[in-house]
Amino acid sequence: MKLADIDKLFDDVGGVRVVAVLEVQESGVDPIGLRQVNLDIMDNVTPGINNVIQHVRYYTFVAWAAWKASTQAAHEGVDDPQVIADLMERYEALYAWSHLLDGRPFRGATTLRQTIARTPEGEAFRFEGEVWDKYKRTRTNIMAPTEYGPSIKALRYLSLDEAIVTKQVMPAVMDFEARVQEVLSPHLLAVAPPSVKASEIEEFAKELSVEDPSDAERAVFRMMFHEIGSDELASPAMRRRKGTIDYLIGVLKEMGPSTLDEIRKRFVVNRLPAGIMGDVEHATQSAIMLAYLQARQLQRLAAEAMLLWTERVLTEESEGGAPRPIPTEELVSRADAAAADLDDTYRASETVGGYFASVVAMGEDSGWPASAARTGTAVVDLTASLREAQQKDPTRIPGLAVRSFAVAKAVNDALTLADLPQASQRVIDGRPDRLPMSLMSTRLEAISERPRASMWAEIIEGWVIGQHVHWSAVRGRDGKHRLRIGLEEAGWMRVRKRATGNFFPTPDRLFTMLALGASCGLIQRTGDGRFAA
């Protein structure tokens, strides 16, 4: 309904009307639009995986379910694709149900608990009818885009249409099939919908646990995840993934058993380990991209933390008890004072360029980007401090953020895009609306001769509020309320009731890569949670 229509309605029928409170759904994912560059870098260096996968057996199971459903239907003379799809969903439901019974539920088990698992003890659940349809309609399956689906296709366990199991995967599928035959009755896998008691499937999870792939499964996964990248017909994604894994294994051999943060600190150094195995060219490219990624993670978190700081300042009340508009000049002054209180180097600097030069000078012994792994300028340490400051003391954020921007700039300036293929260069610099690090560096250099406080006008108005308003508008067509800060005549105001929650680094898939590597035997996982080659 247009505004003119509302006016006409009130003109035609006078009087007062009581209306419901206007409810607008709020949304706050990626509020300043920087996340996509981080994801692009991750896709470049670790194609084919995401942040949720870590078990090799899921790949085998889905390939087996697709193969088994097709062969079972064909054996019974059925060629209806819908019947085959229903069989696959039943096999997955049986597997998920058995793990729930064993106390190890899959992600998204709520739907299972509300449907199939509500079957009274000792009674059978029939895999047809209203409850079964509800389960299929509301569950999140293994092939979902947010689960293993994209990776299972990317690693070629299934064709893109999910209809064909690739021949390289069949040894793992047949190994799994032989073990299924030992624990499940044939009628549970037949086309006719069975009635199933919990007792009939309890051994499924016990004997074929998702955490315990067989040697055949591990060998197949190593080939599809890593070794296939050296094949003459390997795709660019396969080669890039192998180069990253080779680099990671070389780093672990050099470092010994290491934590995730220790590995991240080593990544930012951008140095190939001695005696690295595999394709050195692709490993070199992965090393550069992973160094960029560490700095970009810090840059993004620092900018988002400044959004949180800005909102907190705008929440402060005036003497009358109502939030007051705050002009940019006051925000700049307060950020400058907060940074000076925390950072001695910042306090001693007179100009923007002077401060950044002082931070660069801190690394003169080790050089850059190696100094981004050293105390005082370590990306990992600054990331942890920004997370802690958001939770415990937001007044520390400006000081940590400006040091973070300085470190990110130093890393960016030390790395050379010319050493990367053009496709990778576009990943780093190809989205100017996402504030890539090179654009950040250029903007800082443009104001290098100005007083140090002037950088906060650039950061707050450009990188924080400007980016936020732009992406709120770009994404605003779905009717969700994204805007957090608006401009009044007297200054900036917070326009949402709920404050911004704390920000965290974009999950970088490092744990996924390590977990899969350990699951298939490429690397080892120690008892204290470290990883080693």
Side-chain angles (χ1 to χ4, degrees):
M1 181 178 290
K2 298 180 180 178
L3 183 59
D5 297 328
I6 297 175
D7 290 339
K8 186 176 185 304
L9 180 64
F10 276 91
D11 289 341
D12 293 343
V13 183
V16 177
R17 292 170 175 80
V18 178
V19 298
V21 176
L22 178 64
E23 293 185 2
V24 179
Q25 185 178 1
E26 294 184 345
S27 179
V29 176
D30 194 24
I32 55 178
L34 303 191
R35 180 176 61 171
Q36 192 56 52
V37 171
N38 302 53
L39 297 176
D40 289 346
I41 297 174
M42 295 171 202
D43 286 337
N44 184 274
V45 294
T46 55
I49 63 175
N50 59 28
N51 295 316
V52 301
I53 58 180
Q54 55 181 294
H55 296 300
V56 165
R57 173 149 284 168
Y58 278 120
Y59 293 83
T60 303
F61 173 79
V62 170
W64 168 83
W67 170 84
K68 184 65 176 179
S70 297
T71 56
Q72 183 69 36
H75 177 72
E76 298 188 38
V78 177
D79 61 1
D80 184 347
Q82 185 56 49
V83 172
I84 295 173
D86 195 78
L87 272 177
M88 287 184 65
E89 292 191 271
R90 186 206 308 166
Y91 298 163
E92 183 177 332
L94 291 172
Y95 198 45
W97 189 13
S98 68
H99 276 79
L100 180 63
L101 293 169
D102 200 40
R104 292 175 290 122
F106 290 176
R107 280 165 48 93
T110 300
T111 298
L112 182 61
R113 291 189 178 97
Q114 294 174 345
T115 53
I116 298 173
R118 295 186 68 177
T119 304
E121 186 174 355
E123 295 185 17
F125 174 80
R126 187 162 183 82
F127 279 82
E128 64 178 354
E130 182 179 344
V131 177
W132 172 232
D133 289 340
K134 178 182 178 182
Y135 172 79
K136 291 189 292 181
R137 187 173 63 252
T138 58
R139 60 86 177 89
T140 299
N141 71 349
I142 298 172
M143 286 299 295
T146 55
E147 298 294 320
Y148 280 68
S151 184
I152 286 171
K153 295 177 184 179
L155 268 60
R156 310 292 176 90
Y157 268 68
L158 290 180
S159 59
L160 292 178
D161 60 2
E162 304 179 22
I164 300 174
V165 179
T166 52
K167 64 180 181 179
Q168 295 97 328
V169 174
M170 285 307 297
V173 169
M174 299 312 298
D175 178 79
F176 193 83
E177 164 71 0
R179 301 178 69 185
V180 168
Q181 294 300 321
E182 297 176 0
V183 297
L184 293 184
S185 172
H187 83 280
L188 301 180
L189 307 175
V191 170
S195 295
V196 182
K197 293 182 179 181
S199 59
E200 295 180 86
I201 61 166
E202 288 176 334
E203 294 303 308
F204 201 3
K206 294 182 185 299
E207 297 299 323
L208 285 161
S209 166
V210 76
E211 294 94 356
D212 187 24
S214 67
D215 289 342
E217 292 174 73
R218 291 188 181 96
V220 167
F221 189 84
R222 283 197 301 273
M223 177 178 63
M224 304 304 286
F225 184 54
H226 179 238
E227 296 163 6
I228 199 170
S230 61
D231 190 279
E232 291 182 358
L233 300 178
S235 68
M238 293 173 180
R239 295 182 189 278
R240 290 199 307 273
R241 187 171 59 244
K242 183 178 186 298
T244 299
I245 295 170
D246 289 340
Y247 175 57
L248 174 61
I249 291 173
V251 165
L252 290 175
K253 286 181 177 179
E254 174 189 274
M255 295 175 63
S258 305
T259 65
L260 295 178
D261 278 349
E262 287 169 347
I263 296 169
R264 292 186 182 105
K265 280 189 176 183
R266 176 60 179 80
F267 278 170
V268 80
V269 172
N270 182 33
R271 175 175 55 78
L272 284 188
I276 189 170
M277 304 296 291
D279 189 325
V280 174
E281 178 183 356
H282 281 90
T284 299
Q285 293 170 10
S286 293
I288 297 171
M289 295 296 286
L290 286 167
Y292 267 111
L293 177 59
Q294 310 316 306
R296 175 63 183 191
Q297 292 278 65
L298 180 62
Q299 179 205 7
R300 180 196 175 202
L301 183 61
E304 289 178 335
M306 280 304 300
L307 174 62
L308 181 144
W309 177 86
T310 303
E311 278 200 87
R312 296 289 177 87
V313 173
L314 296 178
T315 304
E316 295 180 358
E317 298 180 350
S318 65
E319 292 182 0
R324 62 182 177 87
I326 298 180
T328 298
E329 293 76 15
E330 182 176 339
L331 292 173
V332 166
S333 176
R334 295 180 66 160
D336 177 61
D341 284 344
L342 186 72
D343 189 334
D344 293 340
T345 303
Y346 180 86
R347 185 170 59 252
S349 302
E350 295 184 357
T351 64
V352 174
Y355 172 69
F356 288 102
S358 295
V359 174
V360 170
M362 293 178 183
E364 61 184 0
D365 292 336
S366 302
W368 293 91
S371 290
R374 303 286 188 251
T375 301
T377 52
V379 166
V380 169
D381 297 344
L382 285 166
T383 297
S385 295
L386 280 167
R387 293 183 63 175
E388 182 181 33
Q390 291 179 80
Q391 296 169 342
K392 297 181 179 180
D393 186 4
T395 63
R396 292 169 48 85
I397 289 175
L400 293 169
V402 73
R403 176 62 62 91
S404 298
F405 293 135
V407 169
K409 182 181 186 305
V411 172
N412 175 81
D413 295 348
L415 296 172
T416 306
L417 280 179
D419 294 332
L420 294 171
Q422 286 190 348
S424 298
Q425 293 180 31
R426 287 193 296 270
V427 167
I428 298 294
D429 267 353
R431 295 181 184 266
D433 56 343
R434 306 280 184 168
L435 192 64
M437 290 194 297
S438 61
L439 180 57
M440 176 196 72
S441 180
T442 298
R443 288 183 176 179
L444 290 172
E445 288 170 3
I447 59 174
S448 62
E449 300 301 321
R450 297 180 186 176
R452 72 180 190 208
S454 62
M455 80 172 76
W456 291 109
E458 170 72 23
I459 293 169
I460 294 170
E461 283 196 334
W463 306 357
V464 176
I465 298 178
Q467 284 283 131
H468 171 58
V469 171
H470 169 76
W471 286 105
S472 295
V474 167
R475 297 171 175 148
R477 297 178 182 177
D478 59 3
K480 294 182 179 179
H481 178 46
R482 290 180 169 82
L483 193 65
R484 302 165 186 264
I485 297 172
L487 182 62
E488 298 284 342
E489 184 176 353
W492 300 103
M493 289 281 291
R494 206 182 86 186
V495 297
R496 289 175 63 161
K497 293 181 179 179
R498 290 189 299 172
T500 296
N502 295 332
F503 294 103
F504 304 93
T506 310
D508 61 5
R509 308 183 191 179
L510 175 59
F511 177 77
T512 294
M513 186 164 53
L514 290 164
L516 289 173
S519 186
C520 73
L522 277 171
I523 61 175
Q524 291 80 47
R525 193 171 186 174
T526 64
D528 61 356
R530 295 171 181 262
F531 294 90

